Amino acid sequence: MIHVPIEEALRYLGSGSVSGDDSGLRAAAMEMAAVLEARLQPRWTFRIFNMKMADDAFMIPEGGITLTGKLASKMLKECDKAAILVCTLGAGFESLLRLWQTRDMAKAVILDACGNAYVEAGCDAAEGEIKAAAEGLYLTDRFSPGYGDLPLSLQSPLVAAVSAEKRLGVEVTGSDLLIPSKTVTAVIGLSDKPQMARIRGCAYCNMRNTCSLRRKGASCSV
């Protein structure tokens, strides 16, 4: 069973460490995490594809995907395969959130933060399955559309490549937003060489100028 990482949920709420007067926030986060875990578990699907280089871009011919830009170049430069991952909490989270918005708006905000942390925990668990399926290959960090210079327009082809609409009920809007909202798409490079973390931090994120965590002096730590 996957659990909501409480420290990550608190970070989404803008609290880097919780003690003293913030103990009530931790208790509320633990309460809402328990509510969430009792109703939902993250679900995911992935596929491993062969890649090739063409015109300074990484191509996944079978999925009809082209990965361009500096981010893809840094992450995939030693890879000839890539895993496409889609992970979601599903439509059940939207229903649960609406319920708590009518009951207690403050706890609904905490539930939303727990949802963010929970879907990322699902991605971590999915990476374990990808590693097992990769037959001894080494994984890069996962990276997603909207991070660095990887365009959001990749959402639709990534979702289609793993049949996530059919398998998970995930859809992409005309403005490249994912439905259900607590859904993550990601690319993970696979290499026969050990892979070190190459890109971390706010400098690479397209949300860096509007991020609520940065305004509070915190970060999502990715």
Side-chain angles (χ1 to χ4, degrees):
M1 181 176 179
I2 300 170
H3 296 287
V4 176
I6 297 299
E7 297 302 328
E8 290 302 308
L10 292 170
R11 189 171 289 113
Y12 279 111
L13 289 165
S15 179
S17 60
V18 178
S19 60
D21 293 340
D22 287 334
S23 59
L25 181 58
R26 177 183 290 278
M30 293 177 69
E31 176 190 353
M32 299 317 295
V35 168
L36 185 52
E37 291 174 13
R39 291 279 295 270
L40 301 170
Q41 279 281 295
R43 298 168 58 227
W44 59 81
T45 186
F46 68 87
R47 282 186 64 189
I48 295 174
F49 295 90
N50 292 319
M51 282 195 310
K52 67 177 184 179
M53 283 290 296
D55 299 324
D56 296 322
F58 291 89
M59 308 284 294
I60 302 178
E62 187 179 355
I65 296 169
T66 302
L67 303 169
T68 61
K70 294 180 180 179
L71 176 61
S73 178
K74 285 184 177 181
M75 298 302 291
L76 302 174
K77 64 181 180 180
E78 295 181 339
C79 303
D80 57 12
K81 295 179 183 291
I84 305 300
L85 166 67
V86 178
C87 180
T88 185
L89 298 187
F93 180 84
E94 320 292 337
S95 299
L96 186 62
L97 182 62
R98 286 193 296 269
L99 175 63
W100 278 92
Q101 286 171 337
T102 64
R103 289 181 176 178
D104 187 324
M105 185 57 73
K107 287 188 176 179
V109 171
I110 295 171
L111 177 66
D112 188 68
C114 287
N116 290 333
Y118 203 26
V119 72
E120 290 295 339
C123 289
D124 291 342
E127 280 195 29
E129 290 191 4
I130 293 170
K131 184 174 182 180
E135 299 180 345
L137 297 177
Y138 297 92
L139 278 61
T140 69
D141 293 328
R142 63 179 181 262
F143 58 105
S144 299
Y147 189 79
D149 60 356
L150 199 67
L152 282 174
S153 58
L154 280 171
Q155 299 283 37
S156 287
L158 293 181
V159 166
V162 295
S163 303
E165 182 173 2
K166 179 179 179 180
R167 295 179 180 179
L168 302 175
V170 171
E171 300 178 7
V172 184
T173 71
S175 54
D176 297 317
L177 298 178
L178 295 169
I179 299 174
S181 62
K182 293 299 183 276
T183 301
V184 172
T185 61
V187 179
I188 302 169
L190 303 173
S191 173
D192 58 2
K193 301 176 182 178
Q195 297 295 295
M196 303 297 291
R198 290 195 177 92
I199 52 163
R200 292 286 176 177
C202 300
Y204 292 93
C205 182
N206 284 350
M207 296 293 291
R208 61 185 176 275
N209 294 323
T210 58
C211 178
S212 60
L213 290 177
R214 291 193 77 202
R215 287 197 294 269
K216 297 175 182 178
S219 76
C220 66
S221 77
V222 299

